[in-house]
Amino acid sequence: MATMIKPLEDRILIQPLEAVQTTASGLVIPDTAKEKPQEGKVIATGPGRIDDKGNRIPLDVAEGDVVIFSKYGGTEVKYDGQEYLLLNARDILAVVSK
């Protein structure tokens, strides 16, 4: 997948995964009651931030990783009909291994 958005420094471009739309009993959850998704796929990463000594600190995630991120972190970006989140590395809470 070729992305035209290249994050800078320690920022990460995430494509949020869809939240569950039905309950365990089969009830459909309306859009107004859905929770904001907290899981997404890493689409692109920046090179990492630079510390006080001028050394680049690499990120803990890579393109293709599925991650859990802060519920209200990041900036929502719409590009080419797709919705993305642009997060700082500190907004990533965990990497999901399946």
Side-chain angles (χ1 to χ4, degrees), residues 3 5 7 9-10 15 24 35 42 46-47 53-54 57 68 70 79-80 84 86 88 93 96:
T3 302
I5 301 172
E9 293 189 3
D10 66 339
Q15 185 171 32
E35 288 194 25
V42 176
K53 296 179 182 176
I57 300 171
I68 296 173
S70 297
Y79 183 79
D80 201 23
Y84 300 101
L86 197 54
N88 285 321
L93 304 176
V96 178

Side-chain angles (χ1 to χ4, degrees), residues 17-50:
L17 298 177
E18 290 295 318
V20 177
Q21 298 185 10
T22 59
T23 65
S25 61
L27 296 174
V28 176
I29 301 170
D31 288 338
T32 55
K34 286 182 189 172
E35 288 194 25
K36 206 171 171 185
Q38 286 182 269
E39 191 173 8
K41 182 178 179 183
V42 176
I43 301 300
T45 63
R49 70 178 179 87
I50 297 176

Side-chain angles (χ1 to χ4, degrees), residues 32-91:
T32 55
K34 286 182 189 172
E35 288 194 25
K36 206 171 171 185
Q38 286 182 269
E39 191 173 8
K41 182 178 179 183
V42 176
I43 301 300
T45 63
R49 70 178 179 87
I50 297 176
D51 66 9
D52 295 334
K53 296 179 182 176
N55 300 321
R56 188 160 305 270
I57 300 171
L59 298 175
D60 295 331
V61 296
E63 291 180 20
D65 286 349
V66 175
V67 297
I68 296 173
F69 51 86
S70 297
K71 194 171 206 170
Y72 298 106
T75 302
E76 293 179 359
V77 177
K78 225 177 196 183
Y79 183 79
D80 201 23
Q82 296 285 336
E83 291 187 18
Y84 300 101
L85 272 176
L86 197 54
L87 301 168
N88 285 321
R90 67 179 173 269
D91 291 331

